[in-house]
Amino acid sequence: MRPTNPEKTISEALATLEQALKEKPALTQSQTEAQGDPSKRVWSVFLRGEVELQTAKEVLSRLSQLGYTAEAVFAGEASDDQVHSACKHGAKNLLVIPIRDSTWSSKALAEGIAQAIRREEPYAVFFPSTVRGREVAGRVAAALRLGLTGDAVDLKPTLQGEIVQVKPAFGGNIMAEIISRTIPQLATVRPGVFEAKELGGGECPTKWLEYNPNTSEAIRFIKSRPIEYTSDLYHARFVVCAGYGVGSPEGFKAVSEFARSVKASVGATRKIVDLGWAPPHLQIGLTGKSINPELYVAVGVSGATNHMVGVRRARVILAVNKDPRATIFSSCDVGIVADYRVALSHLREGLRKIGQSLNPE
Ligand SMILES: Cc1cc2nc3c(=O)[nH]c(=O)nc-3n(C[C@H](O)[C@H](O)[C@H](O)COP(=O)(O)OP(=O)(O)OC[C@H]3O[C@@H](n4cnc5c(N)ncnc54)[C@H](O)[C@@H]3O)c2cc1C
């Protein structure tokens, strides 16, 4: 939708927004004409950690919906709940690599997965694109001399049933479509880019794979402590995101305060995270979080591809930007051309009502 005509009032913009929230259909997985090849076994690797497990489920249901024989691979122990959940999210089979390494070192995990790949010969293996997932995937690729696509944001089949890995490249100016020359294809996949859809019952056959540890303990486990910061962005229904247009760390604080007052979660672009105005765990985008709120409000955000891939699954987007030519206006539902301070002061009451209906608790 084109930017709201500056002459139109904020109340007209709010009315359009409310209409979009009521009428815009819920997002569904994009339909591709090509179907995956069911004779191809493709793996989604489950590593320990909330985001890792969630991403593995998202990838599993995507691969299963495309028609491949999707298999859940647990590196280490798998709880009954995790097994049940993997089967519900489309796993045809469950493979467990019994890694009992006390350190949970990436080296041991990679060694176990590489041994499993040699024996089972899957067509493709996907890892969550998290700190741990990237390290394990890199080690597996090096051990087996395979290519690796980092940070895929989409997976789709060719007419021949191969898997294309899509990722932004050249500073986000193009979306690169990659088919690896080596088999199995390996890729890390960004959290949150697919919906974790329940597709079946909670039962599927389990196979225990052999694992012969060779790793000498280069790392010693001393103690663990919980990460002190948390963010609810992955589950948020309403997000207000601040970009460089907010002007300063104080501007970010003001937008955070605004978000709280309208019952929204706050997010940030990488530019202001890099500048130290906002903490890294609030970053949305390719190298931050991919989110799927009902309403996403971009404040002083230009709309760069590397940011927008993180909000592809947002249902309704409202953008506030003082530049009528800003890229974000070509991918939002409602746009307001104005200084953000002026726009937010007029939007507060209307967005508070919307926030209340999205987050009634
Ligand atoms: C490999 C790679 C990965 C990346 N990953 C990410 C990522 O995960 N997330 C991410 O966000 N970026 C990412 N980036 C960076 C991304 O390409 C952009 O540079 C960044 O998103 C721009 O941030 P911005 O929109 O805040 O700033 P800008 O592009 O500078 O935009 C600021 C906007 O604010 C508007 N503005 C200025 N003043 C006001 C005002 N007073 N009121 C209203 N509007 C105003 C301006 O018109 C402008 O449109 C990545 C880049 C690379 C190369």
Side-chain angles (χ1 to χ4, degrees):
M1 188 182 279
R2 298 296 308 148
T4 307
N5 182 331
E7 276 95 59
K8 281 196 177 179
T9 61
I10 294 271
S11 59
E12 281 172 305
L14 275 168
T16 316
L17 189 66
E18 275 166 18
Q19 197 180 347
L21 278 166
K22 266 195 212 114
E23 292 173 7
K24 198 172 173 189
L27 293 173
T28 51
Q29 204 78 60
S30 67
Q31 299 293 316
T32 44
E33 282 185 3
Q35 270 295 300
D37 176 351
S39 71
K40 290 191 162 82
R41 292 171 64 202
V42 294
W43 288 4
S44 177
V45 175
F46 283 65
L47 299 172
R48 204 163 61 159
E50 195 192 335
V51 180
E52 280 81 2
L53 292 167
Q54 177 63 22
T55 310
K57 278 190 276 187
E58 292 163 3
V59 172
L60 198 58
S61 49
R62 171 67 170 167
L63 294 169
S64 173
Q65 280 175 291
L66 289 175
Y68 293 100
T69 297
E71 299 184 321
V73 176
F74 281 86
E77 290 127 15
S79 71
D80 287 349
D81 275 0
Q82 287 165 359
V83 167
H84 190 66
S85 177
C87 299
K88 278 211 293 211
H89 285 87
K92 282 255 165 36
N93 300 304
L94 216 98
L95 309 175
V96 183
I97 309 168
I99 301 167
R100 302 248 184 275
D101 183 275
S102 61
T103 64
W104 271 87
S105 75
S106 300
K107 208 171 164 193
L109 294 172
E111 185 186 72
I113 294 166
Q115 287 179 12
I117 291 174
R118 276 200 199 97
R119 270 193 214 106
E120 297 288 316
E121 301 183 344
Y123 174 72
V125 183
F126 298 104
F127 300 82
S129 198
T130 58
V131 172
R132 172 59 65 100
R134 287 190 188 114
E135 189 186 344
V136 174
R139 284 178 181 276
V140 171
L144 300 177
R145 297 183 163 271
L146 297 170
L148 170 66
T149 302
D151 285 337
V153 296
D154 199 2
L155 301 172
K156 51 187 193 180
T158 64
L159 289 170
Q160 290 71 39
E162 297 156 306
I163 303 180
V164 180
Q165 298 128 45
V166 183
K167 65 169 285 182
F170 294 109
N173 291 317
I174 60 159
M175 294 299 263
E177 302 204 338
I178 298 167
I179 300 177
S180 178
R181 287 198 194 142
T182 51
I183 303 291
Q185 305 207 27
L186 301 186
T188 62
V189 181
R190 296 293 303 151
V193 294
F194 302 123
E195 187 186 347
K197 220 171 183 170
E198 294 198 356
L199 301 164
E203 304 289 323
C204 49
T206 303
K207 181 174 176 184
W208 288 79
L209 303 180
E210 234 177 85
Y211 167 56
N212 304 308
N214 295 322
T215 311
S216 56
E217 294 244 339
I219 301 168
R220 210 155 40 87
F221 175 79
I222 299 172
K223 66 174 179 182
S224 68
R225 73 178 163 80
I227 295 173
E228 274 148 20
Y229 55 79
T230 54
S231 154
D232 59 352
L233 279 173
Y234 282 126
H235 309 290
R237 303 192 75 215
F238 181 13
V239 173
V240 174
C241 177
Y244 185 64
V246 302
S248 64
E250 290 69 37
F252 173 70
K253 272 193 203 123
V255 173
S256 305
E257 193 43 54
F258 175 85
R260 249 190 304 279
S261 75
V262 298
K263 299 191 96 177
S265 303
V266 72
T269 62
R270 173 161 152 179
K271 193 159 173 178
I272 72 166
V273 167
D274 287 350
L275 285 165
W277 299 359
H281 65 281
L282 297 186
Q283 185 184 318
I284 294 166
L286 177 69
T287 43
K289 293 186 166 68
S290 292
I291 57 171
N292 59 343
E294 290 292 299
L295 175 59
Y296 170 76
V297 179
V299 181
V301 174
S302 59
T305 310
N306 284 323
H307 178 76
M308 297 308 283
V309 291
V311 295
R312 279 192 321 178
R313 290 174 58 220
R315 192 158 77 89
V316 174
I317 298 181
L318 163 66
V320 176
N321 197 303
K322 70 174 186 186
D323 178 2
R325 287 159 303 146
T327 317
I328 196 153
F329 286 132
S330 60
S331 45
C332 68
D333 297 277
V334 182
I336 296 173
V337 181
D339 179 275
Y340 82 92
R341 298 172 200 86
V342 178
L344 292 191
S345 67
H346 286 87
L347 284 167
R348 191 184 295 269
E349 217 26 63
L351 289 183
R352 203 199 309 266
K353 281 191 197 130
I354 292 174
Q356 182 60 34
S357 70
L358 290 173
N359 295 311
E361 296 286 281

